Amino acid sequence: MEKHLERGGDDEKNGESVLMRHEKKCRDVVFLIIFIAFWVGMVVNASFAFKNGDPSRLTFGLDYKGNVCGSKHANPDLHELDVRYWLNPSQFYDSGVKNGKLDLVRSICLMECPMPSEDTLSWVCLYPEGDIQMSVDDWIERDYDYFETLSPDMRNSSLRLQGPCYPVIFPSVNVHWSCQFIARASNASLQHWKQMGGVEIKEDIVLDKSIHQYINSHSAVLKRYAADIGKAWPVLVVCGGLIPLFLSVFWLLMIRYFVVGMTWMAVIFFDALLISVTMFCYMRAGWIGNGVTSSIISEHDLYIHVYGRVAAKVIAEVQALIIFPVVPYMIVAIFYILWFSVTLRLFSSGQILQNDCKSDCCAYDLGLKRLNCDTCCGYSIRYTHHIAVAILFHLFGCYWATQFFVACSSTVIAGSVAAFYWARGEVSHKTPFLRVFSSMKRLMRYSLGSVALGSLIVPLVEGVRSTLELIRFKLKNANAKADTCIEKLASGSSRCCLGFISWTVKSVNSNAYIMIAIAGKGFFSASEIATELIIKNIHQIGRVNIIGDAILFLGKVCIGLSSALFAFFMLDADKYRFSHNKISSPLFPVLISGGLGYIVARLFFGVVEMSIDSIILSFCQDTEEHHGNPKYAPAFLKETFNDLSESQRLIQSYS
């Protein structure tokens, strides 16, 4: 293997050691250009979303004029009317029997769902206009009923279920801002209707099922989940941003000053959180325990040696590493705020178009003062294929951008730690932040293309994996017969292989970023160098990484679970259960909070992970270049690895 590193101590200048022998130039420039072009597409996508989207469409329905219920933009007089109510029970029944498309049924926006009266027949009339000399506030005060003021022709039209007033025959309740009909009609109201000479109204379970299926369709549920993000944004800020920030910094400080105890604290805290979450969900938690860890973690384990003596030492000397993750954290926070805003508008960026009923139906038009057979169905939101493509593009962009930010953070940390190593562990106390700034400068100037390439591979692999998993799921649902043992084995094996490939890619990427920071190579060359070093020194690297990564993974999960648990408690407030900001389900905000907490923890815990991996790879490179006698390893590091070698010889002799 060619030599990639240059001596450090004598060449140290202004607190920074000269690390690289290689020619300094930009690497993988093509992929940097692709990344920039992709971001231009993201900006265009966002512009389209902000121009055409309205997040209120995700929660509230449309009335017969095309207004979004509860929206202040369409009609300020109707902003308090946020509940959708389907007017014509006959049209509603026919739509449910034929195709179940309730978008074709005329609807109106009300303040609350109307209930039948026991003494008389209640009515819900259209918004007052034309000959109806009444303000919207008066119309609301009269419970949307001005039937008594209608002319004889309008009354006859209403008795034929053609408006402008429609009878309230069926009880209804507010379910996700739509009035869910109860199939059993009010006997008193139905009797009054028949006495007035109204046309026949069918009562059937179809009324109940139609609304239930419409409200709980996959598209409707997805829209509500997206709307929940917008309503619960304070929860995401607190539980997905601030809480994991505090916990991550606290965790790093504990590793710095109390690293040995952190091993058991991670396990105990993880178990406690699992029990808390499980008890919160009313599930049994008696199977959780931490006894199994005693067989793999002991006082003299490699994890304690390396993480206790190396990680704590590096963090103590290169103190800026504890503060540095705040930089990518702020960038990621701003990105996710903008990304969620665009997401809400993309999901609601369809066109509001008038429906074509394709049936013989007519409705009274107060503005035209006559029956109109062209607009009896109202409006609906139409989504085109390019919106679906834009959403997929936006989701892929989020994954790629997240991986890119994490990769940049990892590369900067690796460069800072490598500078510490190749300077023989010497630190300039006058410039404690200079190594981090220099590493950031090298990344921005030479390695952004390589980082863009590495961060692109992960979402591509995960995209292929998700696509194959979706195909497998659809094929399984299409096949009614039970799978044979061979089919189950093949399916399970393929999923395990895809999962292993995904894990391998992420592991190779992480080590490649280290060699990019150290050797300044392109992504594929750095991957080759790192893989070769790991294979040659697998006996020194394997167990340390397995145990160390497992403990750090527990820490990340702990912070993610803590964020999710706090989100549960915050969403239990009346603000999110009963008010205008009522969410359909706490599930999605809780999952998002937990995911954001995990990402924040990953940014901060990358300090420890990348520090250890960078030190080990630098040590292996130094050992190889100097024929088994590392020249630049600090004294405490040589002592640590000598102790490890002695421990391994003792273990082998006893085994």
Side-chain angles (χ1 to χ4, degrees):
M1 179 186 300
E2 64 175 297
K3 296 181 180 180
H4 305 285
L5 305 176
E6 191 171 278
R7 58 191 177 85
D10 297 334
D11 296 317
E12 189 170 8
K13 182 180 180 181
N14 296 327
E16 175 191 0
S17 58
V18 181
L19 298 178
M20 278 76 75
R21 261 190 200 132
H22 63 82
E23 179 187 358
K24 290 187 176 182
K25 66 177 183 179
C26 296
R27 308 284 181 173
D28 300 315
V29 179
V30 174
F31 291 94
L32 178 59
I33 296 174
I34 294 175
F35 184 72
I36 294 173
F38 192 89
W39 269 95
V40 172
M42 291 282 286
V43 172
V44 173
N45 218 20
S47 301
F48 169 81
F50 277 96
K51 180 180 179 181
N52 298 280
D54 181 4
S56 60
R57 299 179 188 172
L58 300 173
T59 302
F60 309 107
L62 303 177
D63 64 6
Y64 67 94
K65 289 180 172 290
N67 299 321
V68 180
C69 294
S71 175
K72 298 180 181 179
H73 305 290
N75 191 336
D77 293 333
L78 306 178
H79 74 277
E80 294 181 346
L81 310 178
D82 47 22
V83 179
R84 175 174 50 179
Y85 175 75
W86 286 280
L87 291 164
N88 192 337
S90 179
Q91 187 185 27
F92 188 94
Y93 178 86
D94 292 339
S95 177
V97 170
K98 293 178 182 179
N99 50 34
K101 294 183 178 180
L102 299 187
D103 288 332
L104 300 179
V105 183
R106 222 176 191 212
S107 59
I108 194 172
C109 299
L110 305 177
M111 191 172 293
E112 57 185 13
C113 295
M115 294 294 292
S117 174
E118 295 296 333
D119 302 328
T120 184
L121 182 62
S122 299
W123 300 81
V124 171
C125 303
L126 302 180
Y127 306 133
E129 60 180 339
D131 290 339
I132 307 301
Q133 302 297 322
M134 182 183 301
S135 66
V136 173
D137 291 336
D138 291 338
W139 173 67
I140 296 174
E141 286 290 331
R142 296 171 62 99
D143 291 332
Y144 328 108
D145 182 1
Y146 50 76
F147 180 79
E148 294 180 355
T149 66
L150 296 180
S151 65
D153 289 340
M154 290 183 182
R155 290 195 178 195
N156 290 332
S157 175
S158 299
L159 292 174
R160 294 194 302 269
L161 292 178
Q162 294 178 332
C165 294
Y166 297 84
V168 181
I169 303 295
F170 298 94
S172 59
V173 293
N174 184 351
V175 179
H176 301 311
W177 309 103
S178 293
C179 291
Q180 166 79 62
F181 282 173
I182 299 174
R184 184 179 297 276
S186 169
N187 293 330
S189 297
L190 191 59
Q191 187 66 27
H192 284 297
W193 172 255
K194 291 179 180 180
Q195 291 175 358
M196 295 177 67
V199 297
E200 180 184 3
I201 293 180
K202 299 178 182 178
E203 71 180 294
D204 194 284
I205 196 65
V206 171
L207 296 171
D208 188 295
K209 286 185 176 180
S210 297
I211 296 183
H212 181 77
Q213 293 175 357
Y214 179 80
I215 291 177
N216 293 283
S217 64
H218 294 303
S219 60
V221 172
L222 184 60
K223 290 178 184 178
R224 287 199 299 271
Y225 281 171
D228 289 343
I229 298 176
K231 295 178 182 179
W233 67 264
V235 177
L236 299 183
V237 171
V238 174
C239 300
L242 300 181
I243 290 178
L245 172 63
F246 169 77
L247 292 177
S248 297
V249 173
F250 174 76
W251 207 283
L252 283 183
L253 292 175
M254 291 297 290
I255 290 177
R256 163 67 181 89
Y257 295 105
F258 196 56
V259 65
V260 178
M262 286 302 297
T263 305
W264 292 107
M265 287 181 62
V267 176
I268 295 172
F269 190 39
F270 176 73
D271 286 350
L273 279 172
L274 281 182
I275 294 173
S276 300
V277 172
T278 306
M279 291 180 62
F280 190 85
C281 298
Y282 302 101
M283 297 175 63
R284 297 182 61 185
W287 56 275
I288 298 178
N290 58 11
V292 294
T293 60
S294 59
S295 60
I296 60 173
I297 301 177
S298 63
E299 183 179 356
H300 302 288
D301 196 89
L302 295 182
Y303 167 79
I304 301 299
H305 277 277
V306 177
Y307 278 63
R309 301 174 64 178
V310 178
K313 178 69 174 178
V314 172
I315 294 175
E317 298 295 347
V318 191
Q319 299 176 7
L321 288 178
I322 296 182
I323 303 175
F324 164 73
V326 175
V327 176
Y329 168 82
M330 296 300 298
I331 296 174
V332 169
I334 295 172
F335 168 75
Y336 273 113
I337 291 173
L338 296 175
W339 186 86
F340 280 124
S341 299
V342 176
T343 301
L344 293 176
R345 284 163 175 79
L346 267 182
F347 272 90
S348 60
S349 57
Q351 293 181 319
I352 298 178
L353 300 175
Q354 189 175 12
N355 292 320
D356 181 9
C357 294
K358 296 181 180 179
S359 61
D360 297 329
C361 71
C362 297
Y364 199 92
D365 192 318
L366 288 173
L368 298 177
K369 302 179 182 180
R370 62 177 175 82
L371 287 176
N372 187 352
C373 300
D374 297 328
T375 60
C376 65
C377 291
Y379 292 76
S380 62
I381 301 175
R382 309 288 175 83
Y383 296 93
T384 58
H385 293 294
H386 79 273
I387 294 179
V389 174
I391 291 174
L392 292 177
F393 182 85
H394 187 63
L395 295 175
F396 182 84
C398 176
Y399 199 179
W400 189 3
T402 301
Q403 293 295 325
F404 180 81
F405 294 139
V406 172
C408 288
S409 177
S410 300
T411 306
V412 171
I413 293 170
S416 304
V417 175
F420 166 79
Y421 178 93
W422 295 97
R424 293 188 175 93
E426 299 175 6
V427 178
S428 175
H429 296 286
K430 296 180 180 179
T431 56
F433 293 92
L434 188 56
R435 295 190 190 279
V436 176
F437 290 152
S438 299
S439 184
M440 292 175 64
K441 181 180 177 181
R442 289 194 298 272
L443 168 70
M444 298 293 293
R445 190 170 182 179
Y446 303 113
S447 303
L448 280 180
S450 301
V451 171
L453 171 57
S455 59
L456 174 61
I457 293 177
V458 175
L460 287 178
V461 172
E462 289 293 338
V464 173
R465 179 185 177 188
S466 301
T467 302
L468 294 177
E469 186 66 21
L470 180 61
I471 294 174
R472 186 195 69 82
F473 179 76
K474 289 186 175 181
L475 291 176
K476 183 177 180 180
N477 289 342
N479 188 11
K481 65 178 182 179
D483 294 338
T484 62
C485 294
I486 297 178
E487 290 174 339
K488 291 181 179 179
L489 180 62
S491 176
S493 301
S494 63
R495 295 175 71 182
C496 289
C497 290
L498 290 173
F500 178 76
I501 292 173
S502 177
W503 176 84
T504 303
V505 168
K506 293 177 181 178
S507 178
V508 170
N509 276 18
S510 178
N511 292 307
Y513 299 143
I514 297 173
M515 296 312 299
I516 288 173
I518 295 175
K521 294 293 184 180
F523 176 78
F524 291 115
S525 299
S527 301
E528 180 183 357
I529 297 171
T531 303
E532 185 177 347
L533 283 174
I534 291 173
I535 292 175
K536 287 183 178 180
N537 300 274
I538 191 65
H539 62 284
Q540 290 182 325
I541 297 175
R543 192 179 176 192
V544 173
N545 279 349
I546 292 174
I547 302 299
D549 290 348
I551 296 300
L552 288 175
F553 175 75
L554 286 183
K556 297 174 190 175
V557 174
C558 284
I559 292 178
L561 284 177
S562 300
S563 302
L565 193 59
F566 277 106
F568 259 126
F569 291 131
M570 287 191 67
L571 292 171
D572 198 42
D574 292 343
K575 175 181 178 181
Y576 301 108
R577 295 176 60 190
F578 304 110
S579 68
H580 187 78
N581 287 325
K582 176 183 177 182
I583 61 173
S584 61
S585 170
L587 176 63
F588 213 54
V590 166
L591 292 179
I592 294 294
S593 297
L596 291 176
Y598 183 87
I599 292 173
V600 173
R602 186 180 174 187
L603 286 174
F604 281 85
F605 284 22
V607 171
V608 178
E609 290 177 323
M610 297 304 292
S611 295
I612 294 300
D613 292 342
S614 300
I615 285 290
I616 292 176
L617 285 181
S618 297
F619 183 84
C620 294
Q621 176 71 28
D622 192 11
T623 302
E624 181 175 334
E625 287 191 358
H626 297 94
H627 310 290
N629 185 22
K631 180 179 179 181
Y632 295 101
F636 75 90
L637 188 62
K638 291 181 180 179
E639 181 183 351
T640 299
F641 277 97
N642 288 336
D643 290 346
L644 294 183
S645 300
E646 183 65 26
S647 299
Q648 289 175 349
R649 286 194 293 269
L650 290 175
I651 293 173
Q652 291 174 358
S653 64
Y654 280 109
S655 60

